[in-house]
Amino acid sequence: MKALSQVGKYGLRAILYLVAYPSENSYMSIRQISDELNLSFHFVTKIFRELTAKGILISYRGPSGGVALARPADQIMLIDVVKALEGEDYFDKCLIGLPNCGTAKPCPVHEFWKEMKTKIQQNFTETSLATLGEKIRSQEFRLDD
Amino acid sequence: MKALSQVGKYGLRAILYLVAYPSENSYMSIRQISDELNLSFHFVTKIFRELTAKGILISYRGPSGGVALARPADQIMLIDVVKALEGEDYFDKCLIGLPNCGTAKPCPVHEFWKEMKTKIQQNFTETSLATLGEKIRSQEFRLDD
DNA sequence: CATATTTAAGAGTATTTTATCTTATTTAAA
DNA sequence: TTTAAATAAGATAAAATACTCTTAAATATG
Ligand code: SF4
Ligand code: SF4
């Protein structure tokens, strides 16, 4: 079940690295992140530009520049990042993608699928980047191979 | 949350039409299905060839030929169709797609995501095409616009 | 047998996604 | 002020996906 595009996967991993290993009062370079996670520097840069444009990251150019969270990690929810990376309609799309889809006369899997989507949406809404970063720092979870 | 490719979506809708409106002891032409659901005839044909090769459908050429379920609808589970259309590893792939992924040292969303995947997999395993076809015939559910 | 109907097979095209590359701009520090 | 470090922007390339088209094979029926 491929729930995220490459942009979504890389973007999440990259921002989680940023969250997990924050440099006090300063910016972290994209180069460091992409090197650590073995991701394409240019691709991560492009993804991060989008997150910056959407107000999730801030960036600073020049030496000792880089990126940083625009808000404290406990105020950025997983759903914010996922929607920024995959589109605001991420939770609107549905299993068999009927035209004019809705609850009025739904497809035969609607009931179950809607329930799943709601659960996932709720979890993503409740989960902050701070929570995930903490998990990574605890050493019991990882972001790369 | 795009859980299925176009092949998966079209394939599911098409096979569900076949299930919902079965022609007694006979084949239904792909043309009828694609016309009714407003899908590309050629594309549906290609998708159905795969389902036939995988033993989910049987086909018959020539006048009054077409496709039919290879087994009774209550013996084909939703998971069979989804795996045939999206790949046997459908439920192995995971949220942020880590290399060498597993439960040993998982990513920070693993616990929740694994639970969701398991729920979905269970539901798909328990849901037969017969059940879904019945829903459609009840007129409360639809397959197209 | 001749013809029409239907799926099989696969080549071919278009579009989207993924990834790379080049150039410009900003900024710190030597 | 020069240089190096860093992101911004967007062009380009490669790969995957989505879709279309053509030809072949099978089969029923007149
Ligand atoms: S009816 Fe429900 S599950 Fe089906 S495609 Fe629409 S929103 Fe999705
Ligand atoms: S650790 Fe779990 S959730 Fe994360 S990528 Fe691997 S299988 Fe998926």
Side-chain angles (χ1 to χ4, degrees), chain A residues 94-98 101-102 106-107 109-110 113:
Chain A
C94 228
L95 198 62
I96 65 175
L98 292 185
C101 191
C107 81
V109 297
H110 178 79
W113 194 249

Side-chain angles (χ1 to χ4, degrees), chain A residues 1-3 9 13 90 95 98-101 105-108 112 123 135 139-143 145, chain B residues 1-2 4 9 13 90 95 98-101 105-108 112 123 135 139-143 145:
Chain A
M1 196 173 52
K2 186 183 140 188
K9 291 179 197 166
R13 284 172 62 191
Y90 185 68
L95 198 62
L98 292 185
N100 315 313
C101 191
K105 195 174 179 186
C107 81
F112 170 74
N123 179 274
K135 281 194 172 191
Q139 305 286 328
E140 289 162 38
F141 301 90
R142 70 195 172 98
L143 278 180
D145 49 323
Chain B
M1 196 171 51
K2 187 184 140 188
L4 295 177
K9 291 180 197 167
R13 284 172 62 190
Y90 184 69
L95 198 62
L98 291 186
N100 315 312
C101 191
K105 195 174 178 185
C107 82
F112 171 72
N123 179 273
K135 282 194 171 191
Q139 304 286 330
E140 290 163 37
F141 301 90
R142 71 197 170 96
L143 278 179
D145 50 325

